[in-house]
Amino acid sequence: MLKITRKVEYALIALRHIQNNSSGTVASTKEIATTYGIPHQLLAKILQQMGREGLISAVKGPNGGYKISANLNEISLKDFFEKIEGPLGLMDCYFNSDCNQLKACNILTPIQRINQNMRDLFSKTSLQEITQ
Amino acid sequence: MLKITRKVEYALIALRHIQNNSSGTVASTKEIATTYGIPHQLLAKILQQMGREGLISAVKGPNGGYKISANLNEISLKDFFEKIEGPLGLMDCYFNSDCNQLKACNILTPIQRINQNMRDLFSKTSLQEITQ
DNA sequence: TCTATATACGATAATTTTAGTCGTATATAA
DNA sequence: TTATATACGACTAAAATTATCGTATATAGA
Ligand code: FES
Ligand code: FES
């Protein structure tokens, strides 16, 4: 409960690795996967997704790989989580209105408050704080 | 990702219901289950667990049920979550030392910091804030 | 004392989510 | 032309969550 997924952890590890790479060169999926013991194909998909989200950009072909293409200081952890995993909330009913218990639920209001606190926490933390 | 489980939500709903019950009487599993549409047997197990944890106490037999037996003001949401779901952390490596990536992981330190922030958030919120 | 009702609890099954793999296509440096 | 790297949809496997079953025990009330 309340865990980040491996997908997000792999994404963060890769992002930090790419950022700390010697300038001028790109970091390949293979290099990152072997360094941290991440399944290659899975990491590839995650990097492709981050590419589509504009966080990194790809260089194809031999000696190819990825480089950072966004200002990680301007992206919050909340936004990053939502780019990678979709809507962020303690419970489905925060976003998904067809939650079957919503009518009878007696804790909706207080839970929404706690939920907002958690979103605020991740909103005021930048990606850079993890990758720097 | 970062969701509370139904088990915890059911537990909170039940706790609030029991607390708001007319004084002198207890609330039965059946009453709570039908009121909120929670599977009866599942709720029963959760209430039994809360009983073992000292949060509520049971009265057996006809007209039986549960009543609050702890001061919910003195119990944090973090402690409650850990009573119900076990160790609370953004990632397994916070508690489980045989995390296979721990050696190579390049984001352990910053992730631990974020994790502590989340634990702090739930530590400074009391159960009473949800059930009152 | 008998019966209906309620909690106690381990075992198991179903479902959903997460994690990982496969196959194929495209781009490009050497 | 070949080796290497990204792109991506479909699929499979594993793990976690959610729910059910079966049986035992306690007790209020007829
Ligand atoms: S149904 Fe969303 S908090 Fe209960
Ligand atoms: S292995 Fe725990 S944060 Fe990476």
Side-chain angles (χ1 to χ4, degrees):
Chain A
M1 192 183 83
L2 293 172
K3 287 220 193 55
I4 59 172
T5 59
R6 280 195 189 281
K7 191 176 170 189
V8 161
E9 185 174 357
Y10 293 161
L12 288 170
I13 288 174
L15 219 43
R16 180 166 176 137
H17 184 95
I18 295 168
Q19 189 173 52
N20 293 351
N21 215 31
S22 45
S23 62
T25 69
V26 296
S28 74
T29 306
K30 191 177 174 184
E31 169 191 333
I32 300 172
T34 58
T35 301
Y36 304 99
I38 300 171
H40 179 274
Q41 298 265 48
L42 179 54
L43 179 62
K45 281 180 53 172
I46 296 169
L47 291 173
Q48 284 154 27
Q49 184 177 350
M50 287 203 283
R52 286 192 298 268
E53 296 290 349
L55 295 166
I56 56 182
S57 62
V59 173
K60 281 187 163 189
N63 306 316
Y66 295 92
K67 59 189 171 197
I68 303 286
S69 66
N71 184 346
L72 302 189
N73 239 317
E74 293 173 348
I75 300 173
S76 74
L77 215 44
K78 166 184 146 300
D79 289 341
F80 176 73
F81 287 166
E82 297 203 317
K83 279 178 195 295
I84 303 295
E85 293 283 0
L88 177 68
L90 286 179
M91 62 293 175
D92 284 335
C93 66
Y94 183 62
F95 292 101
N96 184 3
S97 57
D98 65 358
C99 170
N100 57 345
Q101 295 181 335
L102 216 87
K103 263 202 300 278
C105 183
N106 62 355
I107 56 166
L108 182 55
T109 304
I111 279 282
Q112 295 269 29
R113 197 170 55 240
I114 311 294
N115 186 45
Q116 192 57 53
N117 290 343
M118 192 190 68
R119 288 175 60 85
D120 288 348
L121 171 62
F122 292 120
S123 289
K124 70 185 183 198
T125 308
S126 75
L127 248 187
Q128 180 70 25
E129 288 179 54
I130 290 190
T131 60
Q132 77 192 344
Chain B
M1 190 183 84
L2 293 172
K3 287 221 194 54
I4 59 172
T5 60
R6 280 195 188 280
K7 190 176 170 188
V8 161
E9 185 174 357
Y10 293 160
L12 289 171
I13 288 174
L15 219 43
R16 181 167 174 136
H17 184 96
I18 295 167
Q19 190 173 51
N20 292 349
N21 215 31
S22 46
S23 62
T25 69
V26 296
S28 73
T29 306
K30 192 177 174 185
E31 170 191 333
I32 300 171
T34 57
T35 301
Y36 304 100
I38 300 171
H40 179 273
Q41 297 267 47
L42 179 55
L43 179 62
K45 283 181 54 173
I46 295 168
L47 292 172
Q48 285 154 26
Q49 185 178 350
M50 287 204 284
R52 286 192 297 268
E53 296 289 351
L55 294 166
I56 57 182
S57 63
V59 174
K60 281 188 165 189
N63 307 316
Y66 295 92
K67 58 190 172 196
I68 302 286
S69 66
N71 183 346
L72 303 190
N73 239 318
E74 293 173 348
I75 299 173
S76 73
L77 216 44
K78 167 185 146 298
D79 289 341
F80 176 72
F81 287 166
E82 297 203 317
K83 280 180 195 296
I84 303 295
E85 293 284 1
L88 177 68
L90 286 178
M91 62 293 173
D92 284 334
C93 66
Y94 183 63
F95 291 101
N96 184 5
S97 57
D98 65 359
C99 171
N100 57 345
Q101 296 183 331
L102 218 86
K103 262 202 299 277
C105 183
N106 62 354
I107 56 166
L108 183 53
T109 305
I111 279 282
Q112 293 270 28
R113 197 171 55 240
I114 311 294
N115 186 46
Q116 192 57 52
N117 290 343
M118 193 189 67
R119 289 174 60 85
D120 288 347
L121 171 62
F122 292 118
S123 290
K124 70 184 182 198
T125 309
S126 76
L127 247 187
Q128 181 69 26
E129 288 179 55
I130 290 190
T131 60
Q132 77 192 345

